[in-house]
Amino acid sequence: MEKQKNAIGRRKEAVTRIFLSKGDGKITVNGKDYKTYFPLVYLQNQVEAPLKTVESSDKFDVVVNATGGGVKGQAEAAKLGIARALIEVNAEYRPALKAAGLLKRDPRSVERKKPGRKKARRSFQFSKR
């Protein structure tokens, strides 16, 4: 691998661009360390998951550009993007990542609000009198 590999991850409204290059395991999100950007441990685990699955958390440097959505959506989008970038680096990682369920794009997103309703499905409160 001579230069960095790129990949895109999406989840809900969040989109992340991943730049994977050889290094010593630094993960940077929007110019900050990922542990600062994602203060919750379970979100940090989401971002680390693909690297831990293929046992290469100290072989690659990851730069993430995250936009849109919330913190959780961005963390899960980063997870998908990193998994996709790892496959570009080495196709032999694919079975392990697939078995761990890291290559599946989660299609769930917010349902739109309908007319005549308070939210997507919630009706206005019914008044008998």
Side-chain angles (χ1 to χ4, degrees):
M1 185 174 107
E2 68 289 337
K3 61 183 184 72
Q4 65 185 13
K5 296 288 183 182
N6 304 354
I8 290 182
R10 292 189 184 90
R11 167 79 170 97
K12 292 185 170 182
E13 288 293 306
V15 179
T16 57
R17 291 199 316 278
I18 308 294
F19 303 97
L20 194 76
S21 55
K22 275 206 160 57
D24 54 356
K26 273 199 212 83
I27 302 176
T28 314
V29 183
N30 290 354
K32 297 180 187 171
D33 183 57
Y34 79 109
K35 291 192 174 180
T36 313
Y37 194 86
F38 299 119
L40 300 171
V41 177
Y42 84 99
L43 294 177
Q44 293 171 11
N45 293 341
Q46 293 271 320
V47 175
E48 296 165 354
L51 294 166
K52 284 185 176 172
T53 304
V54 296
E55 293 160 9
S56 59
S57 44
D58 54 349
K59 294 179 189 163
F60 299 107
D61 282 348
V62 182
V63 177
V64 180
N65 288 349
T67 55
V71 182
K72 184 171 192 276
Q74 288 183 353
E76 293 185 9
K79 174 177 76 171
L80 176 64
I82 292 168
R84 285 177 172 173
L86 283 168
I87 287 178
E88 280 189 37
V89 171
N90 186 350
E92 291 168 16
Y93 290 153
R94 188 177 173 85
L97 291 168
K98 194 171 169 79
L102 297 172
L103 297 177
K104 197 170 247 184
R105 156 67 157 106
D106 194 336
R108 295 175 296 170
S109 61
V110 180
E111 194 174 333
R112 77 176 192 90
K113 186 196 172 298
K114 316 292 187 313
R117 301 251 166 184
K118 194 173 179 120
K119 289 164 61 177
R121 299 187 179 195
R122 167 102 168 84
S123 301
F124 293 107
Q125 186 169 344
F126 177 72
S127 172
K128 200 166 190 177
R129 282 173 200 84

